[in-house]
Amino acid sequence: MASKQANRQAITLKGSTALVTDFFKYAVNTILFQREVYPSDDFHMVKKYGQTVLVTQDLALENYLDRILKQVQKWLLTGSVTQLVLAIISKDTRTPLERWVFDIMLVEPPADGPDQSRQAKPESEIQSEIRAILKQIISMVTYLPVIHEPTVFNILAYTSDSADVPAGEWVDTDPLAIEASKSQQVKMRSFSTDVHRIEAMVAYRYEEEE
């Protein structure tokens, strides 16, 4: 019985990791499209989560995201990633303009230990929560400041000290923070599986007009 139970939990972790990795892929694509970091012609429509989402067709970007997501998946499986950040930066001045932050937490089992009979969260419910976040990202455009300059983006991963970090691909970097006096924040929706909980927010540069 013990090995069967362990096996069931391992599959749950793997399944949850796949859901979270997938979500991050579509969230990044949605942000890059909505914030016009890449031209809209670079994206095509696919069906996901029972709705249409836009995904890049730019091969270099696709390969870059795939490499990042493969590593994120490994970190999720070992519980060693705590936060992912997509930072949008001015191409010319390198000033951080927006930080889309995704906090990753492990769902605590009930205080009296894992309950064998506890109902697993239906995937349809998880997908509905993910849909709500993606829709929220799209609606953000109406009140985030318009970006009038060319931008680039960077993905930051915050990991535990014990995380296995591939040499050469990930380096310690500037957190690309926006000065507190010029930053506004909007807390977004969250979603959870039986294993992970993802909370999202966006911080953006806001400067009073003279």
Side-chain angles (χ1 to χ4, degrees), residues 39-90:
S40 55
D41 294 355
D42 284 1
F43 294 81
H44 67 123
M45 291 188 281
V46 297
K47 274 288 208 193
K48 186 72 183 176
Y49 309 120
Q51 66 181 20
T52 301
V53 289
L54 286 143
V55 177
T56 184
Q57 301 180 92
D58 180 301
L59 207 55
L61 176 57
E62 209 178 330
N63 290 338
Y64 172 71
L65 290 178
D66 277 351
R67 277 205 315 278
I68 283 178
L69 292 168
K70 279 196 176 80
Q71 184 57 52
V72 166
Q73 195 159 16
K74 287 177 186 168
W75 283 331
L76 284 165
L77 284 168
T78 54
S80 51
V81 60
T82 55
Q83 191 182 79
L84 291 168
V85 176
L86 188 159
I88 297 177
I89 312 150
S90 161

Side-chain angles (χ1 to χ4, degrees), residues 88-141:
I88 297 177
I89 312 150
S90 161
K91 191 174 182 179
D92 300 328
T93 65
R94 311 304 288 181
T95 306
L97 304 174
E98 292 176 3
R99 285 177 104 252
W100 296 78
V101 179
F102 301 91
D103 284 313
I104 301 161
M105 288 152 281
L106 291 171
V107 173
E108 292 294 322
D112 54 358
D115 177 4
Q116 309 279 340
S117 63
R118 192 163 66 109
Q119 287 249 256
K121 186 168 184 175
E123 195 163 328
S124 59
E125 195 182 321
I126 298 166
Q127 292 205 358
S128 170
E129 290 176 358
I130 290 174
R131 264 200 309 276
I133 299 181
L134 293 177
K135 284 179 177 165
Q136 198 177 17
I137 292 171
I138 294 166
S139 68
M140 286 281 178
V141 177

Side-chain angles (χ1 to χ4, degrees), residues 4 18 23 27 31 59 68 92 103 121 135 151-152 155 157-158 163 171 174 185 195 198-199:
K4 188 178 175 190
F23 159 74
I31 293 164
L59 207 55
I68 283 178
D92 300 328
D103 284 313
K121 186 168 184 175
K135 284 179 177 165
T151 53
V152 292
I155 291 176
Y158 289 78
V171 293
D174 179 334
Q185 295 185 356
V195 180
I198 309 298
E199 294 193 350

